[in-house]
Every structure is written in C-alpha cells, then in structure tokens.
Amino acid sequence: MISAATRVAAVIGDPVRHSLSPLLHNAAYRALGLDWVYVAFEVPAGRAAAALDAAAALGLVGLSVTMPHKADAARRCDVLTPEADRLASVNTVTVLPGGRLEGDSTDGEGFLRSLREAGHDVAGGRVLVLGAGGAARAVAAACERAGAAVTITARRAGAARAAAAAIGVDHAPWDARPGLAAAAAFVVNATPVGMSVPGTPLPPDSLGAGQVYVELIYHPAETAMMAAAAAGGAQVVGGLGMLVHQAALQVERWTGLAAPLGPMREAAARALAAR
Ligand code: NAP
C-alpha cells in the first residue's frame, strides 16, 4: 500500500518502457519488506541533469540510469566512484543526505559477480571483449581490475582503439577475432549480434573445451552463439546474471541490505519468458 511514507526510486531512460528494472527492484523491496516503490520515467535525451536535480529535490532514494543518459549523469553527479569516474558513465545515482548526488557504475561488478556465481574467475586469464560500447567498456574495465589480460575488438577499429585507450587495455582488428577467440580463456559478446541483429558474433565453431563464452544478451536466454559454443565443448554464461547483479548492487547501495537475488531473478525470468 503506497502511503505518505513510501520511499521512491526510479529508472530514467529513453526508451524505458520495456525496462526490467522496475520488476527487479520492486521484487527486491517486497522481499525485504520495505515500504519502497520503483517506477520508470521516460526522460528525453538532454534532460538527464534536470531529472537528477528533480530526484534530489523530491528526495528520491536514487535513480538507475540507462541509455541515452549515462554520460550526462556522470557529468551532473557531485561525486563519482572510481569505477564511474574511469568510465565517465553512471548507471546508479544515489541521493546523499543533503541532496548531493553520487554516481556509480555497477555493470562491471555485476558482470564479475555473475561470472563468480557461475564458478568462473577471470584473474590471470585472457579475456576477449567483442564490441566497444558502454557495456564492453564496463566489462573490460572490471576484468582488467580483476587481474585479466583484456583485448577489445570492434567492427570499427577507431571505436575499439578509443575504448581500449580509455581503459588501458589492448585492442585488435575485428577480422582477427577468430584467432584471438581461440587463444582466450573468456570471450564476451558485448554486441547486439544474436539479439536485434541475427547471426553469431564469431564463426560458430570458434570455441571449445576449456573456454568460457559469456553472452551479455539476456533475451533470448540462449543465443545461437551460446548454443554453438556449448556444442563445441565450451562453458557458457548468459546475460541474465549480469542484469540481476547490476540491479542487486543498486539495491545494496540504497538499502544497506543484502539483495534478495532469488526473487529478483525469478521476477526477471518470468517477465522474459512471457515476451
Ligand atoms: P552500445 O553502446 O550500442 O554498443 C554496442 C557495440 O556493438 C558497439 O561496439 C557496436 O558497434 C557493436 N555492434 C552493433 N551492431 C553490430 C554488428 N552487427 N556487428 C558487430 N558489432 C556490432 O550497446 P551496449 O549498451 O554496450 O550493449 C551491448 C550489448 O550488451 C547489448 O546486447 C545489450 O543488450 C547488452 N547489455 C546487457 C547487460 C546485462 O545486464 N546483461 C547490460 C548492458 C548491456 P558500432 O559502434 O559500430 O555500432
């Protein structure tokens, strides 16, 4: 029951209508017995700073930030965590006492937690990241911080070079990816190939035993590349774990409580199965 005491958190983005964040967060707040609610605000490009100011003025708990606002939100926050500062990107805004705004980026740590949950540790291993967008940068930075040797490759050489330089990791030509994949312990798909773009981001027979293929796509639950990698003997990790863990880190930051991962995962999986 929403009352005058109910605390409010929200996601801002455009588009935002299909976001799973409200389901994930509200499942968490329910499981934790909190009088909190999480809603979605469709905020057009260029209005992120105004939305962050409004969140502070209204006393919101915090905001999740998605496309196209992550860089603008980083510029507006009063203080950034080292991760958000390194990426110049914020997916989590916490309204601090007094209304100051703290920006964090939980995608990279969410990625590492999802791998750990699946029994994998990137430390000391070679990681090949396919793509050079926001998710690729977050994953590459987190893996580098965790002690992996990271290479970014993307179809536009300049984008791969810029992403690698910003984070301090290697980059390689897109055409070299089958050979690089064969030599990697972990291959991470941070492109939409397999979701909105049909096909596989690598030749299907690129991966085999002793390797881990990590898909950031969470819908479909199994992409063509996941099926091909598994058929070749590789272990596969889907994108749902990262989605759940990046939200769980927000829940933990805002509530100070351990996130209820089971109810959050169930809420997301139920919604995805119905799509
Ligand atoms: P983004 O910033 O748009 O970056 C996408 C990257 O993929 C860019 O490097 C882009 O290259 C490349 N790309 C696009 N189409 C391609 C194609 N046909 N062939 C090769 N490369 C292509 O997107 P993002 O936010 O980083 O997200 C990337 C993926 O990760 C998406 O599938 C998204 O759903 C997923 N994701 C999952 C989670 C999770 O929690 N599981 C979180 C964030 C993102 P160009 O610049 O040349 O277009």
Side-chain angles (χ1 to χ4, degrees):
M1 184 66 150
I2 291 175
S3 75
T6 304
R7 302 288 321 270
V8 179
V11 56
I12 60 165
D14 188 12
V16 80
R17 228 175 261 172
H18 295 292
S19 170
L20 291 173
S21 295
L23 286 171
L24 285 162
H25 278 264
N26 286 314
Y29 305 162
R30 258 194 312 278
L32 292 170
L34 294 172
D35 182 13
W36 286 25
V37 67
Y38 184 106
V39 295
F41 292 125
E42 196 165 279
V43 173
R47 299 288 287 156
L52 264 65
D53 287 339
L58 293 168
L60 266 55
V61 169
L63 293 175
S64 306
V65 180
T66 185
M67 297 262 284
H69 301 309
K70 290 183 173 186
D72 287 347
R75 278 189 285 273
R76 169 60 192 88
C77 282
D78 299 301
V79 52
L80 296 177
T81 62
E83 190 78 354
D85 191 31
R86 185 179 187 193
L87 297 167
S89 172
V90 155
N91 79 337
T92 309
V93 176
T94 303
V95 180
L96 301 173
R100 280 164 57 81
L101 299 171
E102 176 203 79
D104 192 9
S105 177
T106 64
D107 279 337
E109 183 58 26
F111 171 83
L112 291 179
R113 282 196 184 189
S114 78
L115 277 192
R116 271 186 232 121
E117 188 176 57
H120 304 298
D121 184 354
V122 297
R126 266 180 205 286
V127 177
L128 178 66
V129 178
L130 307 173
R137 286 177 184 230
V139 164
C143 290
E144 191 274 338
R145 179 166 45 80
V150 181
T151 302
I152 293 180
T153 184
R155 61 182 176 177
R156 287 183 302 119
R161 194 181 317 114
I167 296 159
V169 299
D170 288 340
H171 64 92
W174 185 241
D175 287 349
R177 68 196 188 288
L180 292 166
F186 295 86
V187 177
V188 183
N189 180 28
T191 78
V193 180
M195 182 179 58
S196 50
V197 180
T200 57
L202 288 170
D205 59 356
S206 301
L207 299 170
Q211 294 185 286
V212 182
Y213 178 70
V214 192
E215 187 65 86
L216 298 198
I217 293 167
Y218 49 82
H219 187 64
E222 185 184 59
T223 61
M225 192 64 219
M226 284 168 74
Q235 294 182 273
V236 296
V237 180
L240 183 61
M242 174 174 168
L243 181 76
V244 170
H245 280 287
Q246 58 80 29
L249 286 157
Q250 298 180 334
V251 170
E252 289 173 10
R253 176 67 187 92
W254 295 341
T255 68
L257 302 170
L261 292 172
M264 294 176 74
R265 195 186 318 275
E266 280 158 30
R270 229 184 356 258
L272 288 171
R275 278 190 180 171

